[in-house]
Amino acid sequence: SLLVGDSKLVDKINALVGTVASDCSNLSQLKNANITIGGVNYVLTPSDYVLKVTSGGQTQCQNGFQGMSVPSQLSNALIL
């Protein structure tokens, strides 16, 4: 699923976890993402935040962290 947040926050997350190769070749090299919700820490592995899309017999990978403009009070929040 997608995890959407303020573009600046998502840029920081993506810099930490790494760039997802569209051919899915580097999934084992991507880092885990740690997210805290209500004081509870959750560890997201690449298989949790990378979307695998198959169409026409070909599989492509896409980073599930997506940035968008949000109100300033939501600048440190993610929409799950």
Side-chain angles (χ1 to χ4, degrees):
S1 74
L2 291 177
L3 301 144
V4 180
D6 182 73
S7 295
K8 290 179 185 178
L9 174 64
V10 171
D11 287 347
K12 290 177 186 177
I13 293 170
N14 287 334
L16 292 171
V17 298
T19 301
V20 177
S22 62
D23 65 359
C24 308
S25 62
N26 69 334
L27 294 181
S28 64
Q29 298 167 341
L30 299 173
K31 294 186 170 95
N32 293 342
N34 295 304
I35 296 177
T36 303
I37 302 172
V40 178
N41 189 49
Y42 297 90
V43 178
L44 302 179
T45 65
S47 63
D48 295 321
Y49 67 81
V50 172
L51 304 171
K52 287 186 179 181
V53 180
T54 301
S55 178
Q58 292 186 334
T59 300
Q60 291 189 334
C61 283
Q62 176 181 332
N63 189 333
F65 289 107
Q66 299 292 316
M68 65 181 279
S69 294
V70 298
S72 60
Q73 63 266 31
L74 296 176
S75 63
N76 286 319
L78 288 173
I79 301 168
L80 309 177

